Amino acid sequence: MFSSQTPRPFSVLLTFTCSFCLIMATFTAPLAVLAQDTGAEPDSAEQEAAFQAWLTEFREEALSAGISENTLEQVIPTIQQQRRVVAADRSQAEFDNSYDRYLQRVNTNRIEAGRHLMQTQGSMIREVAAEYGVQPRFIVAILGLESNYGTFPITEPLFSVIATLAFDGRRGDMFRRELLAALEIVDKGFATPEMMKSSWAGALGIAQFMPSSYLNLAVDHDEDGKIDLWSMGPDVIATVANYLKSTGWRDDQTWGRPVSLPSGGEQSLPAPQSAGMTPESTCRSYRTMGAWRPLEDWQQLGVRRSDGSPLPARNLPAALLIADEGDDQGYLVYRNFCSIMRYNPAFRYALTVGLLSDAIAGINN
């Protein structure tokens, strides 16, 4: 951890937890290391007995919360403990990989697949996105990262995944709430138990929404009486757009841009958030982004576009993010970057969305 006098925005683990994130900011530790920290894992029989006792207790809580007996009879007997998701929960690429390695997700295959999606379903995507004031390329880029545009198999049994993570305890209260939300989705007839497949983190469908976010922000855009996040269509596009809109997205701005730094800039330019202007509320929680300054101030400090040309004349507030130490790579990011961070609070993820969106649209920063 760097000192408060010289923070390294890209080297510090986020401590902010958003209301929806698919991959929250977490400490990464292999399961074997975790056992050293917390004591040996109980034997499987003891652990299974404890899990079944926990499920019995949770069933009563769900009944008290208004979940019907019929829904619980359909779901609870199918739940099985999935210990491997605990290991996955403690080892996440957003925090384990270098920036150079993680940003390789902006590759030819993903770019071309995104362009193909815009070619085949672009009219629908543009029409739906316009209703929410979000540029289509950002929605497509998010879907490209979350599920490879809906082609990545989402096959985990959601109820087993979330129940395991709730029982595990590290973020037990949060996943307990998500389990109740997942039961509510079935109870209200939005999906059948068989449809409730997820990632290892319990996120649903092409857009990878947690159950509580599905209930709060997912959209039945085609008004067919159901919210379909499992097949590419207007509900998926509207749901992602609605999420970004809820964070204050500005369609008159982009996410940011790669920049070149002056000699020694990696060391001299980072500063704490308090050293700059007060950022918008959406960005304020991300203190490790450092100081926000108008573009003209960054220009005076020697920051330039990646090709060496001057920064844009529009004097937007921007924060400077520095990637892997020693690579002299920097990024000036605007307030929309913070909206992407609300989707997943990891600098690597938000940068990848921004760069992929530019590549899909053929934008050269």
Side-chain angles (χ1 to χ4, degrees):
M1 187 74 70
F2 289 80
S3 70
S4 59
Q5 286 73 32
T6 56
R8 298 278 306 177
F10 264 21
S11 303
V12 181
L13 182 66
L14 288 174
T15 56
F16 175 81
T17 301
C18 72
S19 60
F20 150 56
C21 316
L22 313 183
I23 305 177
M24 290 76 160
T26 59
F27 293 99
T28 57
L31 198 56
V33 174
L34 183 72
Q36 295 173 10
D37 293 339
T38 61
E41 287 267 326
D43 65 53
S44 57
E46 179 184 348
Q47 190 175 72
E48 184 58 26
F51 181 67
Q52 292 303 321
W54 182 91
L55 271 181
T56 299
E57 176 193 350
F58 176 80
R59 189 182 191 282
E60 294 306 310
E61 179 182 340
L63 278 172
S64 299
I67 304 299
S68 71
E69 183 78 39
N70 180 58
T71 293
L72 292 172
E73 287 179 355
Q74 290 183 71
V75 173
I76 296 296
T78 70
I79 294 177
Q80 296 181 344
Q81 194 173 183
Q82 306 275 345
R83 294 306 299 174
R84 59 193 171 81
V85 306
V86 175
D89 183 54
R90 285 164 168 75
S91 181
Q92 300 180 31
E94 281 74 7
F95 305 105
D96 281 352
N97 287 337
S98 67
Y99 288 89
D100 179 66
R101 183 175 179 183
Y102 191 89
L103 292 175
Q104 290 174 17
R105 286 162 171 77
V106 186
N107 55 45
T108 300
N109 288 342
R110 191 169 270 118
I111 294 167
E112 291 304 320
R115 290 175 176 173
H116 178 73
L117 179 61
M118 287 300 299
Q119 290 169 359
T120 57
Q121 300 198 51
S123 295
M124 178 273 290
I125 293 171
R126 286 187 289 270
E127 180 181 345
V128 174
E131 295 185 32
Y132 294 87
V134 178
Q135 302 95 308
R137 63 190 176 98
F138 289 100
I139 300 171
V140 172
I142 285 173
L143 297 177
L145 283 190
E146 293 299 338
S147 61
N148 200 30
Y149 312 104
T151 64
F152 188 83
I154 308 295
T155 59
E156 298 287 348
L158 177 137
F159 289 106
S160 293
V161 167
I162 295 184
T164 298
L165 293 171
F167 172 69
D168 176 58
R170 188 176 69 86
R171 291 183 288 165
D173 289 344
M174 186 198 79
F175 280 106
R176 200 176 186 113
R177 292 190 295 270
E178 294 298 338
L179 186 53
L180 284 170
L183 288 167
E184 186 177 344
I185 290 171
V186 173
D187 211 42
K188 289 183 173 179
F190 296 147
T192 65
E194 293 73 27
M195 291 172 63
M196 299 290 276
K197 302 296 184 183
S198 74
S199 67
W200 62 262
L204 290 163
I206 295 172
Q208 287 289 275
F209 260 44
M210 295 301 288
S212 61
S213 292
Y214 179 102
L215 291 173
N216 293 328
L217 290 165
V219 178
D220 177 16
H221 189 84
D222 57 12
E223 299 182 343
D224 64 353
K226 59 183 179 181
I227 303 172
D228 182 7
L229 297 191
W230 291 271
S231 55
M232 187 66 73
D235 289 0
V236 169
I237 303 303
T239 291
V240 175
N242 189 46
Y243 189 88
L244 294 176
K245 179 182 177 181
S246 75
T247 68
W249 185 271
R250 293 280 301 272
D251 65 355
D252 64 338
Q253 297 182 21
T254 185
W255 66 274
R257 67 187 63 252
V259 294
S260 63
L261 307 178
S263 177
E266 280 193 1
Q267 291 72 41
S268 64
L269 292 175
Q273 189 183 96
S274 58
M277 60 195 302
T278 301
E280 287 192 26
S281 58
T282 304
C283 301
R284 213 164 292 158
S285 297
Y286 305 114
R287 295 187 180 277
T288 53
M289 293 174 74
W292 288 77
R293 308 181 192 280
L295 285 179
E296 64 180 15
D297 287 8
W298 290 117
Q299 176 78 18
Q300 291 174 5
L301 289 168
V303 179
R304 298 291 184 270
R305 295 178 189 249
S306 57
D307 63 1
S309 61
L311 296 175
R314 186 179 180 188
N315 205 23
L316 295 173
L320 176 65
L321 305 182
I322 298 172
D324 297 318
E325 187 171 359
D327 67 3
D328 294 321
Q329 289 290 313
Y331 302 87
L332 282 178
V333 298
Y334 310 144
R335 62 93 42 236
N336 281 348
F337 186 87
C338 302
S339 288
I340 302 170
M341 290 276 287
R342 296 283 181 173
Y343 208 99
N344 183 329
F347 290 147
R348 294 166 177 82
Y349 175 89
L351 273 177
T352 304
V353 168
L355 293 168
L356 179 59
S357 73
D358 288 348
I360 290 169
I363 295 172
N364 186 0
N365 279 310

